Amino acid sequence: MTQEKFANRIAIYPGSFDPITNGHVDLIKRGIRLFDEVIVLVAYNPNKSYLFSVEEREQFIREIFSDNSGVRVDSHSGLLVDYLKSSGASVILRGMRAVSDFEYEFQMALMNRRQTREVETVFLMSGFKWFYSSSKLIKEVASMGGSVKGLVPENVHRGLMEKFNRRTGSRV
Ligand code: PNS
């Protein structure tokens, strides 16, 4: 079966990306097979405090997708629906891991839709390999010296080691 695109559609993939993980990377790569452009949006979640600055998070993503013209990286500190309106996009792309993600994602999708009927949230199931991993757990494990190799891209791995003052070659 051929992969049919949503005709001329831009999808916004918003998130904290603190930091971007291999699970996010997998989702972006799959998203780009469905949409003409995926804007990876480093957005502000007022319920979180961040390890990496917005600039650092954007930089990681830019480096990872430097060869992919279908991926754009941006940041936004206001309401997601306002960014959507100004960008001309009408699709929000989100990943769904386990059942535990469902309630949070469902609430956000409906709240965004309540604000503008122009938006649809499209969910992709998380890749099987990444089902259990999250930025939060990765940071926790890395901060205590555990191994997160293979769960994050190389540049993020280096960034984590620097943040937690660990040397290359340490378990992290
Ligand atoms: O990776 P996260 O933290 O789960 O992503 C959540 C995020 C950043 C997408 C969400 O908090 C968001 O949309 N923030 C922008 C502000 C906004 O529009 N809030 C209302 C969401 S219904």
Side-chain angles (χ1 to χ4, degrees):
M1 198 176 99
T2 55
Q3 295 271 359
E4 297 242 347
K5 286 198 180 205
F6 290 71
N8 283 321
R9 284 290 168 93
I10 304 171
I12 311 278
Y13 180 37
S16 292
F17 303 112
D18 185 44
I20 188 166
T21 67
N22 282 344
H24 295 129
V25 171
D26 173 59
L27 201 110
I28 295 165
K29 287 181 177 166
R30 287 159 56 209
I32 206 62
R33 297 212 300 261
L34 297 171
F35 297 95
D36 295 300
E37 184 173 36
V38 173
I39 301 177
V40 184
L41 187 70
V42 177
Y44 179 59
N45 182 342
N47 303 305
K48 286 185 176 171
S49 52
Y50 292 112
L51 176 67
F52 293 99
S53 70
V54 171
E55 292 74 24
E56 286 172 319
R57 285 177 272 154
E58 277 190 273
Q59 183 59 25
F60 287 142
I61 306 167
R62 285 214 167 85
E63 286 168 9
I64 295 160
F65 291 99
S66 58
D67 290 342
N68 198 324
S69 58
V71 177
R72 191 153 36 113
V73 185
D74 203 356
S75 59
H76 181 64
S77 57
L79 274 180
L80 181 57
V81 288
D82 289 339
Y83 184 90
L84 258 106
K85 282 178 200 156
S86 65
S87 66
S90 57
V91 175
I92 297 171
L93 180 64
R94 290 283 289 179
M96 186 90 78
R97 282 169 307 192
V99 181
S100 52
D101 277 348
F102 180 79
E103 195 176 342
Y104 171 57
E105 294 298 336
F106 190 56
Q107 284 175 345
M108 281 204 298
L110 292 185
M111 184 59 90
N112 284 325
R113 199 156 160 66
R114 185 178 191 274
Q115 292 173 79
T116 171
R117 304 297 288 178
E118 304 303 309
V119 64
E120 287 292 349
T121 304
V122 171
F123 293 101
L124 292 183
M125 291 306 293
S126 151
F128 181 68
K129 275 168 78 180
W130 320 113
F131 211 62
Y132 64 94
S133 83
S134 68
S135 300
K136 185 168 172 251
L137 271 185
I138 285 169
K139 282 182 288 189
E140 183 178 319
V141 170
S143 73
M144 295 178 181
S147 172
V148 294
K149 272 217 163 82
L151 294 176
V152 289
E154 272 303 314
N155 60 346
V156 172
H157 191 261
R158 282 193 300 276
L160 282 168
M161 285 197 289
E162 276 165 30
K163 280 283 177 205
F164 297 124
N165 292 318
R166 305 207 173 265
R167 283 170 287 110
T168 319
S170 76
R171 281 195 297 146
V172 181

